[in-house]
Amino acid sequence: AASLRDIVAAVSSGRSTPEREIAAAKERVAAADGEIGAFLRLAPEASLAAASAASGPLAGVTIGVKDIYDTRDMATEHGSPVYRGYRPVADAALVSMARLAGAAILGKTTTTEFASLDPTPTRNPRNLSHTPGGSSSGSAAAVAAGMVPLAFGSQTGGSVIRPASFCGVAGYKPSFRLLPTVGMKTFSYTLDTAGLFAATAGDLAVAAKAITGRDLAAPVPADAAGLTVGLYRSSVDFEVRPEMLAAVEEAARLMEGAGARIVELEEPAALAEARASHGIVQGFEAVMALSDEYRNHHDEIGPMVAAILDDAARLEPAAYDAARRAARVGRKAASALFESVDVILAPSALGAAPVTLASTGDAMMNKLWTLTGNPVVNVPGFAGEEGLPLGVSVIARFGRDARALAIAALLQNLVTPQ
Ligand SMILES: NC(=O)CC(=O)O
């Protein structure tokens, strides 16, 4: 299927029209989604007709939106029976901004309940016996299957970068709060981050620029001359499968071959402690954010999210405050890392997608960077066992999203030359 940039070029040149792109996307969903299950529902014809007449930098670009984002024209159920049939009055901010940029919100994609851990029925398009990852399961799968060129996800632990890695697509977890989470169901209000999926890092940059109006589509360097790239050695690398460690090494070798200086970065203790504090921050805030659902619908919600809330309900405020202090110290340590390197390379997941639909995998490789708020881009194209994809994360200093996207695009060009 055509990439986002191909569609934008075709529509702006008159070779295609938004109406044709929307019809083609609907056909792709009808043809592929029966066995994948990425979409929950498609937008009403009136909305798609309005999008067919839209103009703007994303005219003709169809988007799959994770069903924790409010949509004015479709039910928004948060992956939960508690919200069955729930109809918001207004679009979430990011949805509204995408419509203003001319995009067509094609439909809602599956999410784990409240964007936590209870898996959806969605399958990995690369191998249907494997999980697509979570919590943005349908968004990653819809892009990986070529149904839509762009999808919205979110990350509180690893819910953009991990499914992007499992499904072999580019994923972007922006600097914390770069994209608004207004109208997106809250799980943890100091962690929840709106994110994007597309075929390539270049497509992500064009989408992010069009939606935000920020100059996030910086020119992609022809080579890595002058770049210093940190090869991150975390305190939990013993949990990473050898094939993923090899993929990160390959990414470093490719960058070195393109002129980068590679330096090994041992994880500072402050970042190991910050990673260990993520669960306490996440759970304590989720018990408050979901207080009504937890108390009035406890027996209806999924067993995994219920267990997380049961555990977190026992946390004392002092424990949460200590975890927040560790997070703040971690953010300072993360900032110090970037005094010596331009970007960091690290695993996007512990390995390839597990051969199960009963779990969406483990956020171990992602949750630190969600907590520190650094921009992360998953670069697909590394090959794991059984032909399953592996992704490598390009991580930049907080606020340097254009740099993260540009260097990720460079790495992607090295991994899979265009
Ligand atoms: N929402 C999340 O990020 C949870 C996960 O990593 O699966």
Side-chain angles (χ1 to χ4, degrees):
S3 74
L4 182 143
R5 286 177 293 174
D6 293 343
I7 291 167
V8 167
V11 169
S12 56
S13 69
R15 285 184 283 112
S16 185
T17 65
E19 184 175 17
R20 199 178 304 162
E21 294 303 329
I22 291 167
K26 285 175 68 177
E27 284 166 19
R28 293 195 298 265
V29 172
D33 209 33
E35 63 176 7
I36 293 169
F39 280 90
L40 293 161
R41 59 195 74 89
L42 295 188
E45 281 310 312
S47 300
L48 298 179
S52 297
S55 59
L58 293 184
V61 171
T62 49
I63 303 178
V65 173
K66 182 176 182 178
D67 202 29
I68 57 167
Y69 285 88
D70 283 351
T71 40
R72 61 189 357 259
D73 58 352
M74 285 178 272
T76 301
E77 300 184 337
H78 307 323
S80 177
V82 176
Y83 283 86
R84 187 166 290 117
Y86 172 64
R87 282 297 301 270
V89 169
D91 284 335
L94 198 62
V95 172
S96 183
M97 290 159 71
R99 291 193 208 268
L100 285 172
I105 307 300
L106 185 75
K108 302 306 280 294
T109 53
T110 63
T111 175
T112 62
E113 187 162 13
F114 300 127
S116 184
L117 296 177
D118 297 276
T120 74
T122 308
R123 296 170 178 272
N124 190 318
R126 308 291 182 199
N127 184 321
L128 299 177
S129 304
H130 294 251
T131 175
S135 59
S136 313
S137 308
S139 292
V143 171
M147 297 186 219
V148 287
L150 183 65
F152 289 172
S154 71
Q155 179 158 316
T156 305
S159 291
V160 168
I161 298 301
R162 180 169 85 255
S165 182
F166 283 179
C167 291
V169 294
Y172 171 35
K173 195 250 0 129
S175 293
F176 185 58
R177 288 211 184 101
L178 182 81
L179 301 181
T181 57
V182 174
M184 184 180 97
K185 181 64 176 165
T186 298
F187 192 77
S188 167
Y189 38 84
T190 65
L191 294 169
D192 293 350
T193 305
L196 307 178
F197 296 89
T200 70
D203 294 313
L204 291 171
V206 168
K209 175 179 181 179
I211 291 170
T212 64
R214 291 174 179 273
D215 190 10
L216 292 168
V220 179
D223 58 38
L227 283 181
T228 302
V229 172
L231 191 44
Y232 197 68
R233 303 299 189 195
S234 88
S235 57
V236 290
D237 276 3
F238 63 90
E239 296 203 34
V240 183
R241 293 185 56 82
E243 60 176 6
M244 177 59 87
L245 292 174
V248 178
E249 295 289 341
E250 181 188 350
R253 278 198 303 278
L254 287 166
M255 292 295 279
E256 191 170 39
R261 182 168 73 89
I262 306 295
V263 296
E264 298 242 344
L265 285 180
E266 287 301 319
E267 182 163 80
L271 285 179
E273 283 153 29
R275 180 186 296 106
S277 74
H278 172 277
I280 292 173
V281 174
Q282 178 180 256
F284 191 86
E285 292 179 358
V287 167
M288 291 190 281
L290 294 167
S291 177
D292 183 319
E293 295 92 335
Y294 180 59
R295 281 165 178 74
N296 297 310
H297 302 276
H298 185 281
D299 298 340
E300 296 168 64
I301 61 180
M304 292 179 175
V305 65
I308 288 169
L309 297 173
D310 289 342
D311 287 349
R314 290 192 279 271
L315 286 169
E316 292 297 327
Y320 170 68
D321 295 345
R324 290 291 306 281
R325 279 192 295 275
R328 194 161 49 248
V329 172
R331 280 189 281 276
K332 289 195 178 71
S335 181
L337 283 180
F338 290 96
E339 298 303 326
S340 61
V341 298
D342 294 301
V343 293
I344 283 173
L345 298 178
S348 288
L350 292 176
V355 58
T356 178
L357 298 180
S359 161
T360 63
D362 188 317
M364 183 59 77
M365 287 291 110
N366 320 113
K367 57 192 179 184
L368 171 63
W369 308 113
T370 314
L371 184 84
T372 57
N374 291 77
V376 184
V377 182
N378 177 67
V379 177
F382 298 87
E385 293 157 8
E386 302 168 45
L388 283 164
L390 296 169
V392 172
S393 289
V394 172
I395 303 152
R397 177 186 287 282
F398 179 82
R400 298 292 178 85
D401 292 63
R403 167 175 287 185
L405 288 161
I407 294 174
L410 166 59
L411 178 56
Q412 192 157 12
N413 291 340
L414 296 171
V415 178
T416 46
Q418 302 301 318

